[in-house]
Amino acid sequence: MQDFPRHSLLATRHCIEIGVVMDPIATIQIEKDTTFAMLLAAQARGWNIHYMEQGDLYLRDGRAYARMRALRVADKARHWFDFGAETTQPLAALDVILMRKDPPFDMEYVYTTYLLERAEAEGAWVVNKPRALRDCNEKLFTSWFPQCTPSTLVTRDARQLRDFLHEHGDIILKPLGAMGGSSVFRVRAEDPNINVIVETMAGEGKRFVMAQRYIPEVSEGDKRILLINGEPVPYALARIPAPGETRANLAAGGKGVGAPLTARDRWICEQVGPALRERGLLFAGLDVIGDYLTEINVTSPTCARELDALYGLNIAEQFLDCVEKQVASGE
């Protein structure tokens, strides 16, 4: 395929060529999947959608390529996608690439960002920016905003974790690379299993663990706030834990309830939003419990479809308005 600069390529097209890197589309739950909402919105605009999974990407002589399949989507419970023609071409042939692969954030994920960064260097625009995906770990990035967070410790040291527990009496322990509440523990000072929990999570001193003071307001909901180019959607999805469960994640059985943003929510967004824009994190999700920021989701934030249904929004349309504007400007 002949290569063209981005502006020349756009000038010869009647629509945007958009690629998506995601988990297998046959496995998603479309009623909850924000990537699917983005694909529906792109198709409604007449954009050509090119579907890729992680294993479709490769690097040859310094250039990033992929096996791509044309994709059509439909908001139907039993038959929500069809594949069209298959091609293999440089990633730089696309105007924009959505990196929407879910965690785990492991070395394979990191390697994928390197390939996408090569495509970016050749003229494709990648959302979210590959370097930012590497730099902004969804747990650790909260440490850039200590004014917004509960008391937090990140360490491999079991003694420090036990001391933190004795200081606060009730804490949450999290791995740094998982999602959906996976391997998240609530531990109290009287817990007889504290030593084995700490040893297991820290891998006997070989893995970093995040500890945060437990926030009782989680019973009122762990709020997901979506930001587009640093600006918040005016409503959050408050995820309420299931009975007997500490984790509020929908993947862990939590129930989603809509809530307007509070003044504190908006203040947190004002603290974080400029940093997201500066780093090229066009679509992000903040997790807020009570008055505190607990995570910054940058890999594949979700909850757009639930908020759309509750409030008559079209968050994916707002997102693609921003994408279209930035692709047209060549930024």
Side-chain angles (χ1 to χ4, degrees):
M1 170 177 285
Q2 186 177 1
D3 298 316
F4 299 93
R6 184 188 297 172
H7 288 299
S8 299
L9 199 60
L10 283 171
T12 63
R13 287 181 175 153
H14 299 291
C15 66
I16 286 175
E17 303 291 329
I18 185 169
V20 60
V21 180
M22 61 184 291
D23 290 302
I25 193 169
T27 67
I28 66 174
Q29 298 181 54
I30 64 170
E31 70 278 5
K32 297 180 179 181
D33 197 280
T34 296
T35 304
F36 189 72
M38 293 174 176
L39 297 176
L40 286 170
Q43 181 173 278
R45 291 172 180 239
W47 296 4
N48 293 327
I49 305 172
H50 304 265
Y51 171 89
M52 295 164 280
E53 296 175 17
Q54 216 169 359
D56 293 323
L57 278 60
Y58 68 98
L59 196 67
R60 176 65 188 266
D61 298 328
R63 298 201 68 192
Y65 297 82
R67 166 188 177 239
M68 306 177 190
R69 284 172 279 179
L71 178 67
R72 297 286 300 175
V73 288
D75 204 359
K76 298 178 180 178
R78 293 185 180 275
H79 189 85
W80 60 87
F81 73 97
D82 283 298
F83 289 131
E86 179 179 318
T87 61
T88 297
Q89 55 185 321
L91 288 173
L94 303 173
D95 297 313
V96 61
I97 302 167
L98 305 181
M99 175 48 169
R100 293 286 302 176
K101 172 72 179 68
D102 284 344
F105 190 88
D106 53 15
M107 285 309 300
E108 289 301 310
Y109 193 103
V110 171
Y111 299 148
T112 302
T113 67
Y114 288 131
L115 270 63
L116 291 172
E117 198 166 19
R118 290 305 308 147
E120 190 177 52
E122 295 171 32
W125 186 45
V126 183
V127 182
N128 284 322
K129 191 174 180 65
R131 181 184 296 269
L133 291 174
R134 292 197 302 272
D135 288 350
C136 301
N137 176 271
E138 298 190 322
K139 310 297 193 295
L140 284 171
F141 191 36
T142 59
S143 300
W144 272 245
F145 312 96
Q147 71 274 27
C148 303
T149 63
S151 182
T152 301
L153 169 71
V154 177
T155 184
R156 292 183 174 194
D157 190 316
R159 178 187 56 79
Q160 290 184 14
L161 290 168
R162 286 193 292 268
D163 288 347
F164 189 81
L165 173 59
H166 291 315
E167 177 185 350
H168 293 288
D170 196 349
I171 65 173
I172 296 292
L173 297 177
K174 305 177 183 180
L176 297 181
M179 65 169 284
S182 177
S183 300
V184 172
F185 288 87
R186 179 184 178 185
V187 185
R188 299 168 197 171
E190 66 275 12
D191 195 318
N193 298 308
I194 178 59
N195 287 333
V196 68
I197 291 172
V198 168
E199 289 166 7
T200 300
M201 292 198 67
E204 298 184 347
K206 296 178 181 177
R207 287 191 296 270
F208 284 104
V209 177
M210 172 174 277
Q212 289 180 327
R213 178 179 63 80
Y214 175 72
I215 307 169
E217 290 84 355
V218 71
S219 62
E220 301 167 15
D222 179 350
K223 289 180 284 191
R224 167 62 54 81
I225 302 172
L226 295 175
L227 291 90
I228 299 171
N229 203 22
E231 296 296 328
V233 173
Y235 302 96
L237 191 73
R239 296 159 296 173
I240 311 295
E245 175 63 77
T246 297
R247 301 167 300 171
N249 311 73
L250 300 182
K255 179 181 70 173
V257 177
L261 298 192
T262 66
R264 173 71 178 188
D265 295 336
R266 291 183 180 278
W267 179 82
I268 291 173
C269 293
E270 288 169 2
Q271 303 300 302
V272 179
L276 298 176
R277 278 194 298 272
E278 179 184 341
R279 289 166 170 79
L281 294 165
L282 192 72
F283 193 81
L286 308 187
D287 288 350
V288 174
I289 301 175
D291 288 337
Y292 298 100
L293 174 69
T294 60
E295 294 187 17
I296 302 174
N297 296 268
V298 300
T299 52
S300 55
T302 190
C303 293
R305 295 216 83 185
E306 294 90 338
L307 287 170
D308 286 351
L310 285 167
Y311 294 107
L313 306 174
N314 194 328
I315 294 169
E317 274 290 316
Q318 296 175 46
F319 168 66
L320 290 187
D321 282 344
C322 191
V323 168
E324 187 166 27
K325 186 180 299 183
Q326 295 204 31
V327 168
S329 71
E331 295 180 358

